Amino acid sequence: MKEKLLVFLLLVFAGAYAQIPVEGFEQSFPPEGWTVTGNGVGTGESWSQTPLASPVLPPYQGNHAAYIIGEDVPTGTAEDWLITPAITVPPNGIISFYSRLLQNNNQGSLYRMMVTVDDPQDLSSYTLMQQWTETEINPSQTTYTQKVVNIPSVYTGVEVHIAFVLVTDDGDGWLVDEVSVTEGCVQPLNVMISEATGTELTLSWDEAPGVSDYEIIILPAGVPFTGNEQGVIATSSPYVFTGLTVESTYQIYIRSLCQQGGVSEWVGPVYSQVLTGNTLTGTVTFDADGDGNCEEGDIVPFVPIAVNIDGLFAYYTYTDMNGEYTVYNIGDGESTIILQPEPQSFFPATEAVTVSVNFNGSVTEETADICLEQPESVTDASITLTPIGAARPGFHAFYQLTVRNNGSELLNNVIATVTFDDNRFDYTSSEGNSAATGNTITFTIGDMAAFAAENYVIDLYTLAPPTNVGGEMVNFTLEVTHNETDDLPDDNTAVMQQTIINSWDPNDIIVHEGPEILLEQADDYLTYTIRFQNTGTASAINVRLENELDEKLDWDTFQPIAASHYYTVNREEGDLEFLFNDINLPDDESDEPGSHGFVTYRIKPQSTVVLGDIFYNGAGIFFDFNEPVITNTAETEIVAETSGLTDALQNKVSVYPNPVVNYLNINTYGSELQNITVYDLNGRKCLNGSGKKMDVSSLKIGLYLVKITTDKGTSTQKIIKN
């Protein structure tokens, strides 16, 4: 097998089959023969040429690139089109370009490649060739990635126009550079890891006709892939990687390098996970009657357990809703594992449990149950409402009501109520022993044993426009009652805020308390829900959520509340990992209702937070071994007075020019301007003012948020400072 190190590979698509030269957008814009247009929704932004040597809008090569900023529109979704001149498609034709986004995290934009044989101005005549989300087109979003799209063979020899289309409503933008069309290169097929032994991995594939070499890149799992990494060249299948780290996960990408100088699209990632598979499991129960014994059914859910392996602290794991816990991936051989349960404060001090295990190949699972002593008598009920999906005008919205007995005593005659805005929703149905009267749904639950939980799904129909318009906020109020005197009554009531939206990324994170809380509310919990949906082409065997908690939150107060499926959760400092192993989540084409999932938890702010502090929260969602889907960032600010206003004002406020160098102008369209505050992306306040012209020359080059307050409410706009 021939092997050589790929130090630098520059592929210029200007060979005999190229139908247009490489377009780098270096001259006038749009270039000769190119067209810039849109669907008429939003006119504030259009495709442009990047400023000369801009560090905020850098080209991939040369001095310029083409770019478009994501636009926030009043209704609908903006489409901004950049269309090539007429191109005669060569055999196996491909279009290649370099792509980059403006900012990190998933803002909800879609990126499309469209093709037409008709009038390029007739947008209805185009056919979709490929579509990406933000994390699909650029896994490392602010790093250029080469994209190669196969032009369907039906267009071979035909004259076509190809369009780059940004589809967005307040999403991320797009930078495009070095566009070319050439004869294509066939991808390697049936790529797989055929063997994994010790520190070696063997990659095999079906070789493609007309391919001289293959470029292969291997990276540790979780490292963003750009396509610009240093790889190796192989002339045939298979290829063996050596010197790898045992018990690590790797991702591998491969593409064809054709004799005529072309290159195929990357195939991958193909993942290999070398794990021991050794686990320690058990159930945590408690002595309910004080006889010194724990009965099988007296489980304690969501107990934090500090895990120490061979003298080193590993992480916190938590019992699930059935009181069970699992410690994964313990090394082969003998180990000493110390489990320190940390139940609620009304339990007596609990001694650590020491377990000696020996995983020798024939034994891969050990069990260690934990019995907690009889707790003090505490009565505590809580109530939470989780939005399972979005509230979209003209569609049904689903919610899960969770009522929990967090105390050690039986609760009698438990009744829960949910009050909704019947001007915006029509009641459809609800589970359990429930009934709706007006805008209130009442759940008659009855008795609840210690540490028990009940879950009910509610179906509400979101009224169509003009009753509901995207950006408006709706509130739900919740209450749970019972016959006993509650020792901790603060969580007997709750409020859940939700924003009505027109479009929806099904993988997101929301904060139930909304974008603003008062300082006196900072002593209580913030409640977060991470929602996910399998939009792939096959079921997801495992789903993993990674969630980094804000440093202004008290990590030790983390409490799981509810989830759509069985799961386990681990915590190491402020890093959460939710594991939905063997979830077998169907894809949305096969079973749309069943393709969704969620997890809900609550956590308190630090006792030292002050007015103006902002809590940020985002997550990464892994479906099997695919690249993570990055959610939005949920934000909550501590304010002196909540505005109770919606984002509808966004449509009545504009800022210009954007990008800006020295002075930023603010147009409030008749509203009375009260205050302007500029923040960086870390939430730090940079500038403050009240006039309709603000000097921003002192700002460093970068992306900023401008919060504008008028007598009608508040609006937040994104600007680029050059």
Side-chain angles (χ1 to χ4, degrees), residues 459-476:
D459 178 0
L460 300 177
Y461 177 75
T462 312
L463 296 175
T467 302
N468 288 309
V469 178
E472 296 175 330
M473 190 78 73
V474 291
N475 295 311
F476 297 81

Side-chain angles (χ1 to χ4, degrees), residues 457-667:
V457 173
I458 301 171
D459 178 0
L460 300 177
Y461 177 75
T462 312
L463 296 175
T467 302
N468 288 309
V469 178
E472 296 175 330
M473 190 78 73
V474 291
N475 295 311
F476 297 81
T477 57
L478 321 170
E479 183 178 15
V480 58
T481 62
H482 50 82
N483 288 350
E484 288 68 40
T485 300
D486 205 294
D487 295 315
L488 300 167
D490 286 350
D491 53 4
N492 292 171
T493 59
V495 173
M496 195 276 288
Q497 292 188 352
Q498 186 180 27
T499 302
I500 292 177
I501 60 176
N502 292 319
S503 59
W504 177 41
D505 183 344
N507 299 284
D508 68 357
I509 183 169
I510 60 172
V511 54
H512 293 210
E513 288 71 22
E516 296 177 344
I517 61 172
L518 300 174
L519 185 59
E520 52 266 31
Q521 294 176 274
D523 293 333
D524 207 349
Y525 289 95
L526 292 174
T527 309
Y528 294 97
T529 292
I530 304 172
R531 301 185 290 198
F532 53 91
Q533 183 184 23
N534 178 12
T535 58
T537 57
S539 63
I541 306 303
N542 303 308
V543 176
R544 174 167 57 93
L545 314 181
E546 291 188 356
N547 184 200
E548 183 177 354
L549 297 172
D550 195 294
E551 61 183 10
K552 292 186 286 295
L553 297 173
D554 184 352
W555 301 334
D556 291 334
T557 64
F558 166 77
Q559 291 183 6
I561 293 178
S564 57
H565 300 76
Y566 176 86
Y567 75 104
T568 59
V569 58
N570 300 323
R571 178 177 66 84
E572 184 175 357
E573 297 294 336
D575 295 325
L576 299 176
E577 181 183 53
F578 299 89
L579 302 172
F580 292 83
N581 290 338
D582 297 321
I583 186 175
N584 292 306
L585 192 70
D587 63 273
D588 61 338
E589 291 294 330
S590 302
D591 179 8
E592 203 285 333
S595 65
H596 296 267
F598 71 88
V599 65
T600 299
Y601 66 87
R602 66 180 186 176
I603 188 169
K604 287 186 176 183
Q606 295 274 12
S607 60
T608 54
V609 296
V610 297
L611 197 66
D613 277 346
I614 302 175
F615 310 100
Y616 299 95
N617 204 343
I621 303 171
F622 296 78
F623 295 91
D624 290 328
F625 296 122
N626 293 301
E627 291 287 340
V629 177
I630 306 302
T631 70
N632 60 300
T633 299
E635 300 180 13
T636 301
E637 181 180 2
I638 301 177
V639 298
E641 181 178 353
T642 56
S643 64
L645 298 168
T646 73
D647 291 337
L649 184 68
Q650 299 274 12
N651 309 326
K652 303 185 181 71
V653 172
S654 64
V655 294
Y656 62 93
N658 194 7
V660 60
V661 177
N662 294 317
Y663 290 95
L664 184 71
N665 297 289
I666 298 92
N667 190 341

Side-chain angles (χ1 to χ4, degrees), residues 100-155:
R100 181 187 187 274
L101 307 188
L102 301 184
Q103 55 186 307
N104 291 314
N105 297 322
N106 189 356
Q107 312 297 319
S109 291
L110 294 176
Y111 303 83
R112 292 175 180 166
M113 297 294 299
M114 310 288 286
V115 60
T116 186
V117 297
D118 297 321
D119 179 2
Q121 296 282 3
D122 180 8
L123 304 188
S124 65
S125 70
Y126 282 80
T127 300
L128 177 68
M129 290 198 299
Q130 189 157 342
Q131 175 175 284
W132 304 270
T133 64
E134 292 180 16
T135 52
E136 287 170 344
I137 194 168
N138 280 82
S140 180
Q141 290 166 288
T142 55
T143 301
Y144 272 100
T145 300
Q146 187 183 26
K147 309 303 294 185
V148 178
V149 177
N150 295 314
I151 303 173
S153 59
V154 68
Y155 298 108

Side-chain angles (χ1 to χ4, degrees), residues 76-311:
T77 303
E79 295 182 8
D80 289 286
W81 293 58
L82 175 64
I83 304 171
T84 70
I87 301 166
T88 301
V89 179
N92 298 318
I94 60 171
I95 182 166
S96 169
F97 61 97
Y98 285 84
S99 169
R100 181 187 187 274
L101 307 188
L102 301 184
Q103 55 186 307
N104 291 314
N105 297 322
N106 189 356
Q107 312 297 319
S109 291
L110 294 176
Y111 303 83
R112 292 175 180 166
M113 297 294 299
M114 310 288 286
V115 60
T116 186
V117 297
D118 297 321
D119 179 2
Q121 296 282 3
D122 180 8
L123 304 188
S124 65
S125 70
Y126 282 80
T127 300
L128 177 68
M129 290 198 299
Q130 189 157 342
Q131 175 175 284
W132 304 270
T133 64
E134 292 180 16
T135 52
E136 287 170 344
I137 194 168
N138 280 82
S140 180
Q141 290 166 288
T142 55
T143 301
Y144 272 100
T145 300
Q146 187 183 26
K147 309 303 294 185
V148 178
V149 177
N150 295 314
I151 303 173
S153 59
V154 68
Y155 298 108
T156 300
V158 177
E159 192 173 84
V160 302
H161 293 268
I162 297 175
F164 297 80
V165 186
L166 174 67
V167 182
T168 187
D169 179 11
D170 198 24
D172 205 347
W174 199 5
L175 287 153
V176 171
D177 203 1
E178 301 299 295
V179 180
S180 64
V181 172
T182 187
E183 181 180 5
C185 191
V186 180
Q187 290 179 299
L189 301 175
N190 298 321
V191 180
M192 67 180 68
I193 294 173
S194 55
E195 189 175 0
T197 57
T199 59
E200 296 185 356
L201 293 177
T202 301
L203 184 74
S204 63
W205 62 93
D206 291 347
E207 297 183 15
V211 176
S212 56
D213 295 303
Y214 300 88
E215 181 186 1
I216 310 173
I217 291 175
I218 185 169
L219 298 168
V223 174
F225 171 74
T226 67
N228 305 320
E229 292 84 357
Q230 179 173 288
V232 295
I233 299 297
T235 58
S236 61
S237 172
Y239 184 87
V240 180
F241 291 96
T242 61
L244 304 179
T245 303
V246 176
E247 299 182 5
S248 296
T249 307
Y250 290 91
Q251 54 181 325
I252 301 175
Y253 299 81
I254 182 172
R255 67 178 175 181
S256 301
L257 308 179
C258 288
Q259 294 174 348
Q260 73 269 20
V263 58
S264 78
E265 190 172 3
W266 287 102
V267 177
V270 178
Y271 281 86
S272 173
Q273 192 164 26
V274 186
L275 297 175
T276 66
N278 302 328
T279 60
L280 173 66
T281 64
T283 303
V284 176
T285 53
F286 74 105
D287 181 4
D289 54 13
D291 65 355
N293 298 311
C294 288
E295 304 299 333
E296 182 177 349
D298 295 327
I299 57 102
V300 189
F302 308 129
V303 175
I305 302 175
V307 180
N308 184 297
I309 302 176
D310 292 331

Side-chain angles (χ1 to χ4, degrees), residues 22-59:
V22 175
E23 178 56 66
F25 306 103
E26 295 298 308
Q27 306 304 319
S28 60
F29 195 90
E32 183 178 356
W34 289 68
T35 304
V36 171
T37 187
N39 67 342
V41 178
T43 57
E45 303 294 343
S46 62
W47 283 95
S48 305
Q49 182 186 57
T50 60
L52 179 65
S54 169
V56 177
L57 300 169

